[in-house]
Amino acid sequence: MSARATTRPGGRSARVQQSVHQAVRDLEAEVGRDALTVPLIAARAGVTPSTIYRRWGDLRELLSDVAVERLRPDAEPADCGSLRADLEAWALQFAEEMSSTAGRTYIRDALLGDPEQGNAVRCSDYAAEQLKAIGVRAAGRGEAVPDVESLLDVIVAPLMYRILFRPSDVSASYTDCLVAAALGRSAASPRD
């Protein structure tokens, strides 16, 4: 994340971010992504174009910031009663959301407008927070839980690679194989 995109909760800065983000979402729905410009977004948000340029640098960085916020999970992971079931449900939902047309667009926007890779870290942190919540819940039930980094490496990394570079099967059988591998259980290879 660039220094320009850093915000403190509350205050004018947060209001500007909220209004600009909302303007991007509204305009994208109304006129399409290709028609977005900084002056158009600024007019809709009620700010000057220089406010956007000063805070985000350019349209690509603004779209990156908006994408990261759209990739933020809006709920706790589902509680399905066991670590395996929780991870299977989470991995399938993650795969479906990220492999959707909108999900792929947000991922690309988040990465393309972020030369310092801070948005990639924020997105990774979202997944890590979800996996940690699943792990804490499972540990509370007395289950052995792999560390979050291992879950990221064995479940999230292959999913993201497949979504971005080899768009193909991200079905429940694929995600279940990844979860089985993460939990150290023998399973069929997570291949097509």
Side-chain angles (χ1 to χ4, degrees), residues 130-164:
Q130 294 268 294
L131 292 169
K132 182 177 179 184
I134 289 170
V136 166
R137 191 168 51 218
R141 293 189 293 251
E143 296 179 79
V145 180
D147 65 274
V148 170
E149 289 300 316
S150 294
L151 294 173
L152 288 169
D153 289 346
V154 179
I155 298 172
V156 178
L159 277 172
M160 292 304 293
Y161 182 86
R162 186 167 284 211
I163 288 165
L164 290 173

Side-chain angles (χ1 to χ4, degrees), residues 74-93:
D74 56 3
E76 288 292 314
D79 185 347
C80 300
S82 71
L83 175 62
R84 182 182 180 122
D86 288 356
L87 286 172
E88 288 174 347
W90 181 85
L92 182 59
Q93 180 181 358

Side-chain angles (χ1 to χ4, degrees), residues 28 31-37 59:
E28 191 171 20
V31 301
R33 180 181 179 76
D34 292 338
L36 293 179
T37 65
L59 181 60

Side-chain angles (χ1 to χ4, degrees), residues 13-14 17 23 31-32 61 92 96 112 137 148 155-157 172-173 179:
S13 183
Q17 179 178 354
V31 301
E61 286 188 48
L92 182 59
E96 289 172 348
L112 286 173
R137 191 168 51 218
V148 170
I155 298 172
V156 178
S173 62
V179 169

Side-chain angles (χ1 to χ4, degrees), residues 18-88:
Q18 182 180 6
S19 66
V20 170
H21 279 216
Q22 188 63 49
V24 169
R25 290 189 296 271
D26 292 347
L27 287 166
E28 191 171 20
E30 292 170 21
V31 301
R33 180 181 179 76
D34 292 338
L36 293 179
T37 65
V38 169
L40 183 65
I41 294 165
R44 174 62 66 94
V47 299
T48 64
S50 64
T51 298
I52 292 175
Y53 290 122
R54 193 170 41 253
R55 181 178 179 110
W56 285 280
D58 61 22
L59 181 60
R60 181 172 274 176
E61 286 188 48
L62 171 58
L63 292 176
S64 180
D65 194 47
V66 171
V68 170
E69 288 305 311
R70 291 179 114 177
L71 290 169
R72 178 192 307 264
D74 56 3
E76 288 292 314
D79 185 347
C80 300
S82 71
L83 175 62
R84 182 182 180 122
D86 288 356
L87 286 172
E88 288 174 347

Side-chain angles (χ1 to χ4, degrees), residues 83-107:
L83 175 62
R84 182 182 180 122
D86 288 356
L87 286 172
E88 288 174 347
W90 181 85
L92 182 59
Q93 180 181 358
F94 181 85
E96 289 172 348
E97 289 175 359
M98 295 301 142
S99 67
S100 70
T101 300
R104 288 174 202 236
T105 299
Y106 299 149
I107 292 166

